Amino acid sequence: MNSLKDPDFEHTGPGRPAGHLLRQRWQPVYASEELEAGRAVPLKILHEELTLYRGEDGVAHIVAGRCAHRGVLLAVGTVEGDCVRCRYHGWRYDGAGQCVDQPAERRSFADKVRIASYPVEEYFGFIWTYLGESPVPELPRWPELEEYGRFHVIEHRKWNYFHDLENTVDDVHQYWVHKTGIYQDDGNAGQIPEMSAELADFGLTQTSTFSNGFVRRLALLMPNTLYFNSGAGVLRGFKSFLWNVPIDDENHMMFFLFIAAHLPPDVGARLAAGVREGRKYLSQLRPVDDIIRAVLSGRERWEDIEDRPDQVLIEDGVVLLGQGVLPDRSLNRLGSSDAAIILLRRLYARELAAIEAGHPLTKFPTPDAAALTRLDSSTP
Ligand code: FES
Ligand SMILES: [Fe+2]
């Protein structure tokens, strides 16, 4: 159902209003450094099966997931020059999806065969694509932030993407869920903040005010980009972005980007390299998903969650998957501390209703770096 009363935030397949909304923007899909030249990988984004490959010339391309001949996943094929060749019978496609070779056909009809292809950009360490209609919009860029050190974290989460959008603008949960207090310092630890939310031209802001005057802000850039610069905790000073990108209705990817704009570029770059090393260590630990499911099934207790650097992902995971993979939000009983969530749902409901009615969508301008800085948290 799509209406202002019971909007369908969660379903993002082609033809669904929320799917249409998210297709209006470029989405990050992969880490640039993890795709070497000559490699192809399968991707699924917004329900679309895709093939991401990097040509031997270093240029990344995204084409349809399957070969037009008999439907084999192209990602198991080989990259040749700037093309990908299907493993099954050798049909070869260029980066525009045009078939350019059919080795077993006596009379090639390759010029009549074309699979889908999508625009690709690489920026801030991610590969991005745009799955919407033409004209293709500009990829949002923040040139002032490009020189700083940065690191990213990419997580596959096995529940609907809307949980994570809501969770990030819900600062009350920090108190109850994150006992280690990743956003807390002496000044604001152990306090439930006063919550408020406001509409902005780019989407909305959520403000948490603590009794000592510490003010933490988060911004949602419609439809699925979150920005925050925490004034406290381990991420203090980092300009932090998060894109929640649906894989399908029951899975999504979280692309976090942390930019060390508070540090000289060389210091930030060294710090980011250290964090990248640390992530290798994390990849050897027990999978986050295992722990989340063990706690939710009652086999392990919340109190048993061991201290580890990515504990925040486990803690959030328990309360997010704890709502169900694809819950019925119309049953929720929201209160005054849910101000940002109420606003987020209203914004989505408005855009989804416009899509259904065939009306133009709101143009949400992307704030520039100076405008982002005005959204940063402030310490007393
Ligand atoms: S299925 Fe791809 S070439 Fe036959
Ligand atoms: Fe959290």
Side-chain angles (χ1 to χ4, degrees):
M1 255 292 278
N2 271 310
S3 67
L4 275 172
K5 261 188 125 155
D6 186 14
D8 181 1
F9 307 117
E10 295 90 357
H11 295 91
T12 58
R16 305 301 287 255
H20 183 85
L21 183 64
L22 291 168
R23 281 169 174 75
Q24 304 303 305
R25 298 281 159 153
W26 285 83
Q27 303 291 348
V29 296
Y30 211 76
S32 287
E33 66 190 10
E34 281 166 28
L35 188 71
E36 64 265 37
R39 172 109 194 266
V41 291
L43 275 188
K44 193 172 177 192
I45 296 295
L46 289 163
H47 301 244
E48 315 259 5
E49 284 187 315
L50 305 169
T51 307
L52 165 65
Y53 71 93
R54 194 182 291 288
E56 289 172 320
D57 57 359
V59 179
H61 302 278
I62 293 182
V63 295
R66 292 177 185 276
C67 177
H69 180 216
R70 277 166 47 203
V72 166
L73 276 182
L74 279 173
V76 299
T78 49
V79 173
E80 293 177 9
D82 61 355
C83 295
V84 60
R85 189 187 287 280
C86 180
R87 177 71 57 184
Y88 207 7
H89 314 95
W91 287 22
R92 185 157 58 101
Y93 300 88
D94 68 16
Q98 180 63 50
C99 185
V100 292
D101 193 17
Q102 295 172 311
E105 291 306 307
R106 271 194 297 278
R107 292 177 55 181
S108 170
F109 53 97
D111 58 336
K112 296 194 181 65
V113 177
R114 188 165 180 162
I115 57 174
S117 73
Y118 299 92
V120 174
E121 297 261 12
E122 300 202 47
Y123 191 52
F124 278 142
F126 295 137
I127 298 172
W128 302 72
T129 194
Y130 172 78
L131 300 183
E133 296 147 8
S134 296
V136 180
E138 292 278 308
L139 173 71
R141 290 175 190 269
W142 293 278
E144 297 86 344
L145 304 181
E146 291 170 10
E147 65 176 303
Y148 296 107
R150 59 167 184 261
F151 68 98
H152 61 248
V153 174
I154 302 177
E155 287 290 325
H156 178 172
R157 307 290 258 175
K158 297 180 181 174
W159 49 85
N160 189 261
Y161 80 105
F162 209 76
H163 291 34
D164 271 296
L165 277 188
E166 293 194 336
N167 186 54
T168 316
V169 295
D170 168 11
D171 238 10
V172 172
H173 92 274
Q174 308 286 352
Y175 174 86
W176 297 100
V177 176
H178 302 306
K179 294 298 186 192
T180 49
I182 59 162
Y183 302 121
Q184 292 172 5
D185 275 350
D186 292 348
N188 66 337
Q191 284 181 40
I192 300 177
E194 195 58 43
M195 308 282 292
S196 63
E198 272 180 41
L199 285 176
D201 60 351
F202 52 76
L204 68 90
T205 57
Q206 182 246 252
T207 305
S208 311
T209 307
F210 293 81
S211 59
N212 68 338
F214 176 85
V215 177
R216 183 168 133 76
R217 289 188 201 88
L218 296 154
L220 173 84
L221 320 185
M222 279 288 282
N224 65 330
T225 308
L226 290 142
Y227 169 79
F228 57 95
N229 184 350
S230 176
V234 293
L235 290 172
R236 173 200 287 266
F238 281 89
K239 291 198 180 291
S240 309
F241 293 84
L242 165 61
W243 290 268
N244 288 306
V245 183
I247 296 171
D248 53 28
D249 295 332
E250 301 184 349
N251 294 271
H252 67 286
M253 300 297 289
M254 298 178 86
F255 291 88
F256 292 92
L257 171 66
F258 301 105
I259 299 177
H262 55 316
L263 299 172
D266 57 321
V267 177
R270 281 204 299 279
L271 182 76
V275 174
R276 276 200 297 278
E277 253 338 275
R279 292 214 28 98
K280 282 191 199 144
Y281 157 77
L282 284 181
S283 68
Q284 294 157 16
L285 300 182
R286 184 178 169 202
V288 162
D289 245 12
D290 264 22
I291 305 172
I292 293 170
R293 282 165 203 278
V295 173
L296 283 173
S297 69
R299 279 181 282 123
E300 292 176 28
R301 300 178 317 156
W302 176 273
E303 292 71 23
D304 298 332
I305 300 175
E306 56 181 311
D307 289 351
R308 48 189 265 180
D310 59 353
Q311 194 170 342
V312 61
L313 291 170
I314 300 169
E315 293 165 336
D316 276 331
V318 172
V319 294
L320 293 174
L321 186 55
Q323 295 167 50
V325 172
L326 201 51
D328 180 354
R329 287 187 162 75
S330 70
L331 301 174
N332 290 175
R333 303 288 304 271
L334 302 182
S336 62
S337 64
D338 296 306
I341 287 170
I342 293 168
L343 224 45
L344 166 65
R345 292 186 188 184
R346 275 200 199 134
L347 269 177
Y348 260 70
R350 187 184 77 195
E351 298 306 305
L352 300 183
I355 290 166
E356 279 213 309
H359 295 152
L361 294 178
T362 307
K363 296 214 181 318
F364 295 101
T366 303
D368 62 17
L372 288 181
T373 297
R374 288 196 290 279
L375 298 169
D376 291 348
S377 303
S378 49
T379 40

